């Protein structure tokens, strides 16, 4: 008997169809019935539910089940998928249903009451509901569920029915058994899910290959793992409940739902199910979004949608993950517990390769619109979110802090004293805007952003023979940024690079990403914000990408070839003629170039380099990945954290902290013709960027919504350059002309302890995460007490020596200069006096100046951009 | 555990060595404690640790731990086996001292999966250097531990590599941080990092002046930052001043502070360079390793000698072997007396075994087919031999043990569950530490 479903009415299906057709269910496979017919089934429960259920619309949640009896200001509402709002049917003895009850106050506020209410069923022997609100059938029949809210006295009554309780229905392996393995962690990468399996037993990672799992479990070592004659003696069960030693320990209880399900599957002789059985095509989490107070709870219901239109409650089998455990945690049963932080948080639910998200907004207080005018589109989105969340906005930063902040962010260096003086003296209203424009026209802008790109484009010196190419590529990147080459063109020059490094320096990228896997993986991660590596061998656990997506993308690079060039390590890269394709090693299927997420016939131009056609698709205004990935990367540059974080892991299950902002920025970036400098302007001219880092009451804890500017430690190279500028003692780098700044170093082949200890990346991956920003003891020791720093302080031509050589009357000016240079501000009276006193008490003026400079460079105000 | 009341101390174990000895001496009479008892209690660390002794070049398994008395003479070699304090376990005659403590050892005679390359990476991480190369490579055990468990004491690095650079770099590399990045590289006591722990060109008084000055200048409200970056920097700054005034790490590296009797037990501690391109045999390194463990280091890696015996194999084993016998036996005994052997695993192994057939230069060549390894302590079930090779020592006949199983056992002994703990690589993929689990025979 094939596995069938009963989609003719809204049911809570336990994934079984009838083995023996009864009078209500025609045999054979059923097409989903029209919605009107679906509702016929509800007549048995009474028209009160029927009427209200039909009034629901898909776009807005409607209280479909009106309370029969309500008292006080609050009402109760059942939260569930549209089709079930009128009444609930549990089909089969394994059906489970998570009841989610909301308490609605008169002012439209809804809160979760599932944990507060009491459930009772009459007659009590049809359905049992436990304290968590999970309903389970006891026998066939009809019943009424009574929900009572002790807090408000409100009540709610709902009809329920149990069908097919005694029917023996075949368990479906991929649909029912595999999810149990996933939920219990059996097929995780640390256990049987790893490539080699565990202790001889192998499952596919996260159950993405149920056929393989079936084979390993049922066909392999037959008689060992499963005993249909005595199911309870099966190793699968005895190991899982711990009666036989199991390396992974006890995974379930002997009387659990999961145990009974697996047991019955074995009892039935381990059916697989049929190829035509419905598969999960969608997942719905209910409620999808809520505004909730900090510290509150929300029970979720998760409903799987099948290809035949039927539904199943999978709350107990789905997996849950919070995208920010500091804000919210979630239990295995889908109970979300919020902590004390305000902001937005998402809970990812997964089931059978499908994902759905629950979003919670946690306001800090009542809605409070910022009282300033938005400057750019950035502010509009940020302010709207702050208003929603009731988080107050910090004051604008003062001119001096702005000058230091934006100079460090756009040019990677401190403003000089001359720049400082000119900026402070400028009285014009648009001076910040003009300074931003000025920074973008300086060579230091190209040096600094060139460093950023050079690192993630893996521009490193593997050996000395790489030097010419790595220098040339860095120069090319710098020139492209300075000339403000449109970003799509910039990407094209790299991804579709051909020729020699000499004629086209971006060919150097292909020298580092030598195989096709690296080429497509780096392209996806760098330019599309997609980490697709997982899909090389198995379906991505949190994403829709599978092997076909991976190899479809790989096909674009399948004709890339190289031959030796004129010099060692300088290959010539070219596209050979041929049919671009890449084979999925698992299925053997040859895939034509396929844009991510757009499977279909390859309709490319046969004589145009497939890589150019890839960039054509990437740079299309409708591409959903290209612009968001870049603006997110740049956002991280300026604000220390991507709107999506990590910045190159953009997926539905890792939502942006402000999706409207990401969309608006992307749109404007596309509209500007991928103008990188314009993007910098849009960001830097915003109030959000120019907000003070000083917290105002109520926004100190904010880390995601940009209610204030978040300080960030200077990057290794910027810090060393700043140190050199303040001490007037430039660092020397082997083989580079004197005066070369650390930010300008063409590749990573320059040994320097300072840079290493402060987290300079090695440029060996496409991830910005290589750059370490954590503090450690070695850094503190180096700044406080290293020969390198001490030599800079004591440099005979350095700041301290210069200042000490001046007359004592000039000390105040010297201290002022030190403050202007290092901190871009004037010392206040107390600071000035402290410094003057220190100089006055000292017998050795130079030593005293060294100490002063030392103290300034060790202050957090110097070490951070704030 | 003994408890003494006194002023609060910033050390994890609550008391410094000096306090303990002072107090301990006063209480000898009434509690009948021997010096060894006092040492044992004092040393009891709050952390588990590993000393990974790499015998670079590939030590001959059949001339050390797996003697083949029944093989023909062109294979058997010059050595005779001797009995050990565990009936049934025999090892080479060059190890008389180790023979007396084999009850504390696990001898593995069937190590397989070795790569025929002179590289320490496999013995330090369980992986080949090419694994995950495109994202920076696999981290070595010490780097992974540094990432997962962090330092015991913020002023003492969790991972120290004592191996000196050798002409052939991978031969005795102290361990790569791989994709975890430079922050998790082993601390090397010869570099700038160590120099920075000693005052560089200024006096302690001047440092105090500076610190005071900094206190009045550094006024940026650290409340600005809730990510913990500023607070972290302050905390490390604080720690750095502590280190500069007194450093447990520097003390640990300073053998002049060691008891002369203990020092003598380890034998001649000077480094002896056997061939130009390999690590020296340096008995002091084993003693330093013990001192580092006591100071709070979690993993110490070191490279002992140059075992690539293509010629004069037996002379080499006599030379290196007798030195190793002395210092390794001393280390194990020392750890035991201090109560550290339960919490410390000592691993002694090389990158591969050597050819059964002796070559015309009286040497043995590379033989990655099988290898031996010896582990001590670590709370394992010791006093046993695992696995066996055939009569000629060519291949494993019983219980082949993957190198990763040994690494997994070390992780297990450190309290890290290899079936659960993952590290996230730069592409966002969670990576397990090793693909094999710990050896069930010993845990």
């Amino acid at each position: 008997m094939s596995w069938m479903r009963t989609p003719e009415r809204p049911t809570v299906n336990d994934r079984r169809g009838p083995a023996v057709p009864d009078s209500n269910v025609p045999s054979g496979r059923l097409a989903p019935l029209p919605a009107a017919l679906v509702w016929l089934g509800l007549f048995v429960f009474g028209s009160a539910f029927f009427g209200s259920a039909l009034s629901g619309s898909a776009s807005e949640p409607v209280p479909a089940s009106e309370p029969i009896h309500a008292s006080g200001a609050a009402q109760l509402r059942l939260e569930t998928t549209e089709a079930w709002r009128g009444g609930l049917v549990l089909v089969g003895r394994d059906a489970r249903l998570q009841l989610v009850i909301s308490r609605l106050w008169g002012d439209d506020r809804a809160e979760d009451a599932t944990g507060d209410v009491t459930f009772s069923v009459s007659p009590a022997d049809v359905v049992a509901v436990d304290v968590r609100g999970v309903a389970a059938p006891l026998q066939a029949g009809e019943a009424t569920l009574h929900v009572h809210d002790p807090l408000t006295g409100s009540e709610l009554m709902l009809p329920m029915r149990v069908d097919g309780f005694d029917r023996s229905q075949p368990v479906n392996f991929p649909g029912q058994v595999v999810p149990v393995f996933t939920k219990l962690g059996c097929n995780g990468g640390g256990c049987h899910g790893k490539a080699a399996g565990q202790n001889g037993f192998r499952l596919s990672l996260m159950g993405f290959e149920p056929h393989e799992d079936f084979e390993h479990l049922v066909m392999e070592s037959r008689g060992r793992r499963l005993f249909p004659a005595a199911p309870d003696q099966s190793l699968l069960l005895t190991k899982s409940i711990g009666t036989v030693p199991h390396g992974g320990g006890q995974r379930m209880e002997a009387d659990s739902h999961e145990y009974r399900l697996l047991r019955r599957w074995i009892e039935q002789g381990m059916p697989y199910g049929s190829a035509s059985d419905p598969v999960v095509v969608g997942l719905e989490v209910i409620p999808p979004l809520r505004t909730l107070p900090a510290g509150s709870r929300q029970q979720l219901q998760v409903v799987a949608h099948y290809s035949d239109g039927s539904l199943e409650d999978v709350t107990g089998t789905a997996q849950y993950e919070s995208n920010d455990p500091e804000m919210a945690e979630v239990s295995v049963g889908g109970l979300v517990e919020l902590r004390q932080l305000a902001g937005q948080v998402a809970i990812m639910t997964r089931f059978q390769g499908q994902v759905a998200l629950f979003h919670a907004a946690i306001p800090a207080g009542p809605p409070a619109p910022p009282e300033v005018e938005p400057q750019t589109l950035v502010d509009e989105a940020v302010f709207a979110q702050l208003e929603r969340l009731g988080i107050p906005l910090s004051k604008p930063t003062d001119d001096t802090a702005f000058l230091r902040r934006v100079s460090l962010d756009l040019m990677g260096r401190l403003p000089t004293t001359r720049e400082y003086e000119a900026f402070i003296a400028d009285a014009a209203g648009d001076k910040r805007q003009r300074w931003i424009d000025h920074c973008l026209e300086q060579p230091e802008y190209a040096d600094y952003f060139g460093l950023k790109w050079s690192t993630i484009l893996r521009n490193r010196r593997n050996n000395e023979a790489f030097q010419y190419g790595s220098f040339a590529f860095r120069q090319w990147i710098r020139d492209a940024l300075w000339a403000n080459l449109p970003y799509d063109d910039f990407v094209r020059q790299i991804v579709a690079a051909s020729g020699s490094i000499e004629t086209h320096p971006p060919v150097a990228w292909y020298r580092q990403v030598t195989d096709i896997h690296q080429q497509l993986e780096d392209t996806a991660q760098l330019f599309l914000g997609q980490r697709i590596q997982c899909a090389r061998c198995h379906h991505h656990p949190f994403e829709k990408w599978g092997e076909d997506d991976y190899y479809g993308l790989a096909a674009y690079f399948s004709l890339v070839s190289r031959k030796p060039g004129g010099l060692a390590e300088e290959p010539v890269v070219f596209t050979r003629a041929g049919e671009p394709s890449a084979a999925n090693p698992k299925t053997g299927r040859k895939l034509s170039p396929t844009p991510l997420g757009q499977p279909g016939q390859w309709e490319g131009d046969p004589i145009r380099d497939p890589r150019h056609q890839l960039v054509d698709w990437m740079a299309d205004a409708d591409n959903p990945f290209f612009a968001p990935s870049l603006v997110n990367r740049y956002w991280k540059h300026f604000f220390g954290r991507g709107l999506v974080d990590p910045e190159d892991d953009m997926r539905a299950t890792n939502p942006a902290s402000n999706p409207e902002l990401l969309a608006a920025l992307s749109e404007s970036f596309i509209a500007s013709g991928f103008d990188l400098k314009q993007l910098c302007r849009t960001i830097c001219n915003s109030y959000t960027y120019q907000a003070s880092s000083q917290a105002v009451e109520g926004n100190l804890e904010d880390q995601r919504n940009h209610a204030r500017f978040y300080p960030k430690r200077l990057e290794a190279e910027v810090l060393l350059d700043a140190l050199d500028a303040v001490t007037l003692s430039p660092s020397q780098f082997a083989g580079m002309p004197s005066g070369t700044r650390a930010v300008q170093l063409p590749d990573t082949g320059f040994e320097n302890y300072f840079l290493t200890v402060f987290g300079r990346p090695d440029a060996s991956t496409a991830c910005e995460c290589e750059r370490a920003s954590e503090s450690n003891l070695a850094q503190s020791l180096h700044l406080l007490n290293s020969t390198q720093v001490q030599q800079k302080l004591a440099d005979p031509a350095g700041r301290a020596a210069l200042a000490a050589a001046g007359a004592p009357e000039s000390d105040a000016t010297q201290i002022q200069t030190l403050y202007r240079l290092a901190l871009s501000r004037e010392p206040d009276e107390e600071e000035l006096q402290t410094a003057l006193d220190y100089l006055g008490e000292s017998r050795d003026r130079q030593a005293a100046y060294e100490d002063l400079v030392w103290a300034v460079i060790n202050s957090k105000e110097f070490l951070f951009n704030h | 555990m003994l408890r003494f009341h006194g002023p609060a101390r910033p050390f994890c174990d609550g008391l410094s060595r000096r306090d303990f000895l002072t107090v301990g001496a006063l209480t000898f009479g009434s509690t009948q404690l021997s010096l060894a008892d006092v040492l044992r209690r004092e040393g009891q660390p709050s952390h588990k640790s590993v000393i990974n002794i790499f015998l670079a070049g590939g030590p001959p398994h059949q001339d050390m731990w797996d003697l083949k008395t029944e093989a023909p003479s062109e294979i058997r070699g010059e050595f005779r086996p001797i009995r050990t304090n565990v009936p049934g376990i025999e090892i080479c005659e060059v190890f008389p001292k180790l023979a007396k403590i084999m009850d504390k050892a696990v001898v593995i005679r069937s190590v397989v999966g070795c790569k025929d390359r002179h590289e320490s990476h496999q013995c330090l991480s369980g992986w080949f250097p090419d694994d995950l190369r495109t994202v920076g490579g696999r981290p070595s055990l010490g780097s992974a531990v540094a990432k997962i468990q962090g330092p015991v004491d913020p002023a003492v690095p969790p991972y120290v590599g004592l191996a000196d650079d050798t002409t052939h770099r991978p031969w005795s590399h102290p361990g790569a941080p791989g994709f975890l990045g430079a922050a998790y590289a082993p601390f090397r006591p010869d570099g700038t990092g160590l120099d920075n722990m000693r005052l560089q060109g200024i006096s302690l008084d001047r440092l105090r002046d500076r610190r005071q000055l900094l206190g009045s200048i550094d006024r940026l409200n650290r409340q600005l930052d809730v990510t913990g970056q500023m607070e972290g920097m302050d905390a490390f700054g604080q720690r750095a001043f502590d280190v500069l005034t007194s450093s447990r790490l520097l003390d640990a590296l300073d053998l002049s502070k060691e008891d002369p009797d203990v020092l003598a037990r380890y034998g001649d501690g000077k480094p002896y360079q056997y061939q130009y391109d390999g690590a020296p045999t340096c008995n002091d390194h084993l003693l330093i390793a013990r001192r580092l463990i006591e100071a709070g280091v979690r993993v110490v890696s070191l490279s002992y000698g140059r075992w690539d015996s293509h010629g004069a194999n037996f002379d080499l084993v006599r030379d290196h072997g007798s030195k190793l016998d002395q210092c390794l036996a001393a280390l194990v005994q020392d750890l035991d007396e201090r109560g550290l052997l339960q919490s410390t695993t000592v691993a002694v192994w090389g990158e591969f075994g050597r050819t059964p057939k002796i070559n015309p230069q009286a040497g043995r060549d590379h033989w990655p087919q099988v290898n031996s390894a010896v582990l001590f302590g670590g709370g394992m079930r010791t006093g046993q031999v695992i696995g066996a090779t055939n009569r000629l020592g060519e291949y494993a006949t019983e219980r082949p043990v993957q190198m990763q199983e040994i690494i997994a056992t070390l992780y297990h002994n450190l309290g890290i569950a290899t079936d659960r703990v993952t590290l996230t690589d730069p592409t966002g993929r969670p990576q397990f530490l090793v693909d094999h689990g710990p050896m069930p025979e010993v845990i």
Side-chain angles (χ1 to χ4, degrees), chain A residues 189-190 518 700 708 782 785 828 850-851, chain B residues 134 196 198 206 210 218-219 223-224 432:
Chain A
Q518 289 174 34
L700 176 64
R708 61 193 182 88
H782 198 71
N785 176 56
D828 67 22
E850 286 172 21
D851 294 351
Chain B
T134 57
N196 286 349
R198 301 186 184 101
R206 186 153 172 220
R210 282 183 171 186
D218 188 17
R219 298 185 311 182
Q223 285 263 301
L224 290 180
F432 286 93

mmCIF file of all heavy atoms in Angstrom, chain A residues 189-190 518 700 708 782 785 828 850-851, chain B residues 134 196 198 206 210 218-219 223-224 432:
data_model
loop_
_atom_site.group_PDB
_atom_site.id
_atom_site.type_symbol
_atom_site.label_atom_id
_atom_site.label_comp_id
_atom_site.label_asym_id
_atom_site.label_seq_id
_atom_site.Cartn_x
_atom_site.Cartn_y
_atom_site.Cartn_z
ATOM 1 N N GLY A 189 26.987 16.400 12.583
ATOM 2 C CA GLY A 189 28.355 16.228 12.100
ATOM 3 C C GLY A 189 29.304 15.635 13.123
ATOM 4 O O GLY A 189 30.390 15.189 12.780
ATOM 5 N N GLY A 190 28.918 15.622 14.401
ATOM 6 C CA GLY A 190 29.807 15.054 15.413
ATOM 7 C C GLY A 190 29.526 13.587 15.648
ATOM 8 O O GLY A 190 30.275 12.908 16.335
ATOM 9 N N GLN A 518 37.531 26.860 -5.105
ATOM 10 C CA GLN A 518 37.871 28.141 -4.478
ATOM 11 C C GLN A 518 37.327 29.304 -5.292
ATOM 12 O O GLN A 518 36.913 30.318 -4.743
ATOM 13 C CB GLN A 518 39.383 28.295 -4.373
ATOM 14 C CG GLN A 518 40.024 27.384 -3.354
ATOM 15 C CD GLN A 518 41.532 27.504 -3.421
ATOM 16 O OE1 GLN A 518 42.072 28.567 -3.687
ATOM 17 N NE2 GLN A 518 42.207 26.393 -3.213
ATOM 18 N N LEU A 700 22.293 52.789 26.197
ATOM 19 C CA LEU A 700 23.631 52.236 26.431
ATOM 20 C C LEU A 700 23.730 50.784 25.979
ATOM 21 O O LEU A 700 24.712 50.362 25.387
ATOM 22 C CB LEU A 700 23.986 52.336 27.923
ATOM 23 C CG LEU A 700 25.318 51.691 28.303
ATOM 24 C CD1 LEU A 700 26.472 52.408 27.634
ATOM 25 C CD2 LEU A 700 25.510 51.658 29.804
ATOM 26 N N ARG A 708 23.448 54.928 18.820
ATOM 27 C CA ARG A 708 24.650 55.733 19.035
ATOM 28 C C ARG A 708 25.766 55.078 18.238
ATOM 29 O O ARG A 708 25.583 53.986 17.688
ATOM 30 C CB ARG A 708 24.997 55.792 20.523
ATOM 31 C CG ARG A 708 25.291 54.440 21.098
ATOM 32 C CD ARG A 708 25.332 54.467 22.610
ATOM 33 N NE ARG A 708 25.660 53.147 23.116
ATOM 34 C CZ ARG A 708 26.913 52.731 23.308
ATOM 35 N NH1 ARG A 708 27.931 53.528 23.074
ATOM 36 N NH2 ARG A 708 27.142 51.511 23.727
ATOM 37 N N HIS A 782 52.851 44.837 24.712
ATOM 38 C CA HIS A 782 53.624 45.475 23.648
ATOM 39 C C HIS A 782 53.495 46.990 23.684
ATOM 40 O O HIS A 782 54.472 47.709 23.524
ATOM 41 C CB HIS A 782 53.201 44.936 22.281
ATOM 42 C CG HIS A 782 54.208 45.210 21.211
ATOM 43 N ND1 HIS A 782 55.417 44.573 21.158
ATOM 44 C CD2 HIS A 782 54.208 46.082 20.176
ATOM 45 C CE1 HIS A 782 56.123 45.033 20.130
ATOM 46 N NE2 HIS A 782 55.399 45.958 19.511
ATOM 47 N N ASN A 785 55.174 48.151 27.129
ATOM 48 C CA ASN A 785 56.549 47.834 27.475
ATOM 49 C C ASN A 785 57.295 47.095 26.380
ATOM 50 O O ASN A 785 57.782 46.005 26.593
ATOM 51 C CB ASN A 785 56.534 46.958 28.742
ATOM 52 C CG ASN A 785 57.911 46.483 29.144
ATOM 53 O OD1 ASN A 785 58.795 47.296 29.339
ATOM 54 N ND2 ASN A 785 58.101 45.174 29.240
ATOM 55 N N ASP A 828 41.686 69.561 28.060
ATOM 56 C CA ASP A 828 40.939 70.470 28.938
ATOM 57 C C ASP A 828 41.891 70.977 30.035
ATOM 58 O O ASP A 828 43.044 70.546 30.128
ATOM 59 C CB ASP A 828 39.670 69.799 29.485
ATOM 60 C CG ASP A 828 39.958 68.648 30.428
ATOM 61 O OD1 ASP A 828 41.074 68.604 31.001
ATOM 62 O OD2 ASP A 828 39.073 67.781 30.582
ATOM 63 N N GLU A 850 58.473 61.698 27.129
ATOM 64 C CA GLU A 850 58.256 60.315 26.692
ATOM 65 C C GLU A 850 57.104 59.694 27.488
ATOM 66 O O GLU A 850 56.241 59.013 26.932
ATOM 67 C CB GLU A 850 59.520 59.470 26.908
ATOM 68 C CG GLU A 850 60.628 59.746 25.911
ATOM 69 C CD GLU A 850 61.931 59.037 26.290
ATOM 70 O OE1 GLU A 850 61.882 58.052 27.047
ATOM 71 O OE2 GLU A 850 62.986 59.490 25.818
ATOM 72 N N ASP A 851 57.136 59.953 28.774
ATOM 73 C CA ASP A 851 56.087 59.387 29.626
ATOM 74 C C ASP A 851 54.712 59.934 29.230
ATOM 75 O O ASP A 851 53.719 59.191 29.195
ATOM 76 C CB ASP A 851 56.355 59.711 31.098
ATOM 77 C CG ASP A 851 57.614 59.016 31.608
ATOM 78 O OD1 ASP A 851 58.153 58.161 30.869
ATOM 79 O OD2 ASP A 851 58.050 59.336 32.726
ATOM 80 N N THR B 134 43.141 25.899 2.223
ATOM 81 C CA THR B 134 42.647 27.124 1.592
ATOM 82 C C THR B 134 42.012 28.085 2.592
ATOM 83 O O THR B 134 41.775 29.232 2.271
ATOM 84 C CB THR B 134 41.602 26.824 0.499
ATOM 85 O OG1 THR B 134 40.543 26.084 1.104
ATOM 86 C CG2 THR B 134 42.194 26.035 -0.632
ATOM 87 N N ASN B 196 58.857 41.310 26.008
ATOM 88 C CA ASN B 196 57.910 42.303 26.493
ATOM 89 C C ASN B 196 57.491 42.072 27.937
ATOM 90 O O ASN B 196 56.861 42.920 28.545
ATOM 91 C CB ASN B 196 56.661 42.329 25.597
ATOM 92 C CG ASN B 196 56.934 42.992 24.264
ATOM 93 O OD1 ASN B 196 57.987 43.600 24.077
ATOM 94 N ND2 ASN B 196 55.989 42.875 23.344
ATOM 95 N N ARG B 198 59.667 41.477 30.258
ATOM 96 C CA ARG B 198 60.702 42.065 31.095
ATOM 97 C C ARG B 198 60.740 43.544 30.774
ATOM 98 O O ARG B 198 60.556 43.929 29.631
ATOM 99 C CB ARG B 198 62.072 41.462 30.758
ATOM 100 C CG ARG B 198 62.143 39.976 30.944
ATOM 101 C CD ARG B 198 63.577 39.496 30.735
ATOM 102 N NE ARG B 198 63.613 38.053 30.828
ATOM 103 C CZ ARG B 198 63.652 37.241 29.770
ATOM 104 N NH1 ARG B 198 63.702 37.743 28.551
ATOM 105 N NH2 ARG B 198 63.666 35.938 29.931
ATOM 106 N N ARG B 206 59.898 54.083 37.067
ATOM 107 C CA ARG B 206 59.375 54.891 35.959
ATOM 108 C C ARG B 206 58.079 54.279 35.432
ATOM 109 O O ARG B 206 57.149 55.001 35.069
ATOM 110 C CB ARG B 206 60.436 54.973 34.856
ATOM 111 C CG ARG B 206 60.019 55.913 33.756
ATOM 112 C CD ARG B 206 61.194 56.513 33.046
ATOM 113 N NE ARG B 206 60.754 57.256 31.877
ATOM 114 C CZ ARG B 206 61.396 57.247 30.724
ATOM 115 N NH1 ARG B 206 62.522 56.559 30.582
ATOM 116 N NH2 ARG B 206 60.931 57.955 29.709
ATOM 117 N N ARG B 210 54.550 56.181 35.124
ATOM 118 C CA ARG B 210 53.770 56.188 33.884
ATOM 119 C C ARG B 210 52.354 55.684 34.122
ATOM 120 O O ARG B 210 51.386 56.223 33.597
ATOM 121 C CB ARG B 210 54.444 55.278 32.846
ATOM 122 C CG ARG B 210 55.633 55.910 32.181
ATOM 123 C CD ARG B 210 56.183 54.967 31.119
ATOM 124 N NE ARG B 210 57.203 55.643 30.320
ATOM 125 C CZ ARG B 210 57.770 55.103 29.248
ATOM 126 N NH1 ARG B 210 57.433 53.899 28.843
ATOM 127 N NH2 ARG B 210 58.669 55.770 28.564
ATOM 128 N N ASP B 218 43.744 58.681 31.093
ATOM 129 C CA ASP B 218 42.851 57.758 30.380
ATOM 130 C C ASP B 218 41.460 57.846 30.975
ATOM 131 O O ASP B 218 41.093 57.083 31.851
ATOM 132 C CB ASP B 218 43.402 56.340 30.518
ATOM 133 C CG ASP B 218 42.657 55.366 29.644
ATOM 134 O OD1 ASP B 218 41.963 55.809 28.713
ATOM 135 O OD2 ASP B 218 42.783 54.158 29.888
ATOM 136 N N ARG B 219 40.697 58.804 30.492
ATOM 137 C CA ARG B 219 39.425 59.065 31.153
ATOM 138 C C ARG B 219 38.216 58.755 30.281
ATOM 139 O O ARG B 219 37.097 59.032 30.657
ATOM 140 C CB ARG B 219 39.375 60.516 31.617
ATOM 141 C CG ARG B 219 40.469 60.803 32.627
ATOM 142 C CD ARG B 219 40.330 62.182 33.171
ATOM 143 N NE ARG B 219 40.169 63.147 32.088
ATOM 144 C CZ ARG B 219 40.064 64.453 32.269
ATOM 145 N NH1 ARG B 219 40.080 64.941 33.476
ATOM 146 N NH2 ARG B 219 39.940 65.267 31.251
ATOM 147 N N GLN B 223 32.069 53.126 29.574
ATOM 148 C CA GLN B 223 30.644 52.806 29.436
ATOM 149 C C GLN B 223 30.164 52.966 28.001
ATOM 150 O O GLN B 223 29.089 52.535 27.648
ATOM 151 C CB GLN B 223 29.840 53.734 30.338
ATOM 152 C CG GLN B 223 29.941 53.368 31.794
ATOM 153 C CD GLN B 223 28.772 52.524 32.225
ATOM 154 O OE1 GLN B 223 27.640 52.954 32.125
ATOM 155 N NE2 GLN B 223 29.045 51.323 32.665
ATOM 156 N N LEU B 224 31.007 53.627 27.207
ATOM 157 C CA LEU B 224 30.659 53.810 25.800
ATOM 158 C C LEU B 224 30.466 52.487 25.104
ATOM 159 O O LEU B 224 29.757 52.361 24.134
ATOM 160 C CB LEU B 224 31.818 54.491 25.056
ATOM 161 C CG LEU B 224 32.105 55.940 25.357
ATOM 162 C CD1 LEU B 224 33.255 56.389 24.516
ATOM 163 C CD2 LEU B 224 30.855 56.733 25.052
ATOM 164 N N PHE B 432 34.887 19.893 13.212
ATOM 165 C CA PHE B 432 35.238 19.100 14.376
ATOM 166 C C PHE B 432 36.749 19.069 14.523
ATOM 167 O O PHE B 432 37.490 19.296 13.568
ATOM 168 C CB PHE B 432 34.654 17.694 14.258
ATOM 169 C CG PHE B 432 33.174 17.693 14.497
ATOM 170 C CD1 PHE B 432 32.279 17.814 13.447
ATOM 171 C CD2 PHE B 432 32.686 17.640 15.791
ATOM 172 C CE1 PHE B 432 30.916 17.859 13.680
ATOM 173 C CE2 PHE B 432 31.317 17.681 16.024
ATOM 174 C CZ PHE B 432 30.432 17.791 14.974
#
